[in-house]
Amino acid sequence: MTLSRGKTALLSISFLAILSLAVFAYLDSDGTLIWMYKNRSLKISQLKNQTEQWLAISNWFNSRYEFANKEPKGLSLDSWFDSRARTDMPTLTPWSAPIIWDGTVGRPVLDNYYKQQKVTIGLTVFAIGRYLDKYLKNFLTSANAFFMTGHNVIFYIMVDDLTKVPLIELGPLRVLKVFQVKRESRWQDISMMRMKVIGDLIESHIRHEVDFLFCMDVDQVFQSDYGVETLDESVAQLHAWFYNADNTAFTYERRPESAAYIPYGEGDYYYHGAIFGGTPLRVLNLTRQCYQGIKEDKEHNFEAVWHDESHLNKYYLLNKPTKVLSPEYCWDYKIGIPSAIRNVKLSWMPKEYGEVRSNL
């Protein structure tokens, strides 16, 4: 059978177009579906979605109060959340968003609801340099076991070296997608630039693929079920070292020169940059605004005290989250185990900065 010149040319063009995207998928020896994306796929997104174009778009979201307790849609807050179940800790924010502690949530109600909705949850994580070697395998293995079990999950893994991605056997309803990203020379720049990369990825892939998205640091390990009780429009994580502190003790950026500046006397909570989430559009809005603040600081030769976490806290001060996670969802065992911490969902790995941050 021979093909006409026209058909041959068309097939050749299609083949080259596929190659130019540098995207491929394969089944490894244990049947795990792996999608690999070379860094050009992110560059294509960057060309279409320059930061200046991002910032020219008006804020799509009104104040937090319009979205109060809207997730899960169609269920009243008291049908799945008992704010009186914990008397030792606050369970509602001043703007009436739930603070999720162990014992406050009716998981069966939520699991049934979200299974009927057939939601897909995304999880992004960056593993660059020695962070890839030291932490990624434990993070992925534990996430596979405990993150959103029984629901559709896509893991989005950003690495600088595709050859070092560990192969793990994924459970049912799970897909792993790996993206190669540029390696920055300083760990601070890696930390801050992730806001831009996550935004690019939401624009090019994630918003078409998931209903909810979490973004997490890789130097953590899941300890128990991290479930659908955490889903909402905009989700923030209380910092383990500050959840019980007065706001004067919070390590906000206090220098007025920074876009992340929060003066003394202001601020609701201190949020941990290791975890944030929500719907893709709400996370996109967060990453846009944080990256804009980082850019403004760089233009003035300034760097916020805690880098992207400082800008994250400024964002949540102005855009109240619709759900707040207790420190049980991101605990540091160096603190010990206070009586308030009943069920650790995720914990910090030992912070060996001298090893993983030197010559990334």
Side-chain angles (χ1 to χ4, degrees), residues 206-348:
I206 293 175
R207 66 192 179 100
H208 306 293
E209 299 175 344
V210 307
D211 302 289
F212 297 95
L213 177 67
F214 276 93
C215 308
M216 297 189 182
D217 285 355
V218 72
D219 52 348
Q220 307 179 101
V221 62
F222 290 87
Q223 303 278 348
S224 62
D225 283 342
Y226 194 108
V228 292
E229 75 278 4
T230 61
L231 301 180
D232 216 298
E233 296 273 355
S234 174
V235 182
Q237 171 66 57
L238 292 181
H239 199 293
W241 285 85
F242 297 103
Y243 73 98
N244 224 5
D246 184 83
N247 69 0
T248 57
F250 296 164
T251 54
Y252 292 148
E253 175 53 70
R254 301 296 191 180
R255 295 168 292 180
E257 299 90 339
S258 174
Y261 170 61
I262 299 176
Y264 285 99
E266 292 190 22
D268 309 301
Y269 303 99
Y270 191 84
Y271 301 109
H272 198 173
I275 298 175
F276 56 92
T279 60
L281 293 183
R282 294 296 291 269
V283 176
L284 177 60
N285 193 52
L286 181 156
T287 58
R288 283 174 172 169
Q289 295 199 29
C290 287
Y291 183 62
Q292 169 65 3
I294 291 166
K295 275 190 62 182
E296 288 178 7
D297 281 359
K298 279 188 172 293
E299 288 169 1
H300 295 92
N301 273 339
F302 207 86
E303 200 166 273
V305 59
W306 289 112
H307 318 294
D308 56 335
E309 184 173 271
S310 296
H311 292 277
L312 181 90
N313 272 276
K314 180 62 174 287
Y315 174 85
Y316 280 133
L317 175 63
L318 301 177
N319 303 269
K320 308 297 188 190
T322 58
K323 183 173 285 180
V324 175
L325 304 181
S326 77
E328 293 170 313
Y329 287 85
C330 189
W331 186 247
D332 185 1
Y333 281 113
K334 284 185 178 179
I335 303 171
I337 311 253
S339 59
I341 306 301
R342 299 180 183 177
N343 185 357
V344 174
K345 309 287 189 177
L346 181 75
S347 66
W348 304 14

Side-chain angles (χ1 to χ4, degrees), residues 165-178:
V165 176
L167 295 179
I168 64 168
E169 184 175 356
L170 295 178
L173 307 178
R174 274 136 209 281
V175 173
L176 180 67
K177 298 192 176 187
V178 184

Side-chain angles (χ1 to χ4, degrees), residues 20 29 38 64 73 80 94 124 133 148 160 184 187 242 251 260 272 279 294 307 313 316 320 346:
S20 70
S29 59
K38 297 290 283 184
R64 156 64 188 90
K73 294 176 176 63
W80 62 269
T124 72
D133 302 321
M148 305 293 169
D160 59 324
E184 303 290 340
W187 68 265
F242 297 103
T251 54
H272 198 173
T279 60
I294 291 166
H307 318 294
N313 272 276
Y316 280 133
K320 308 297 188 190
L346 181 75

Side-chain angles (χ1 to χ4, degrees), residues 42 81 146 338:
L42 287 181
F81 180 75
F146 294 118

Side-chain angles (χ1 to χ4, degrees), residues 35-37 154-158 175-179 209:
W35 288 83
M36 309 290 279
Y37 295 75
I154 302 176
F155 298 116
Y156 299 96
I157 313 302
M158 268 63 75
V175 173
L176 180 67
K177 298 192 176 187
V178 184
F179 294 77
E209 299 175 344

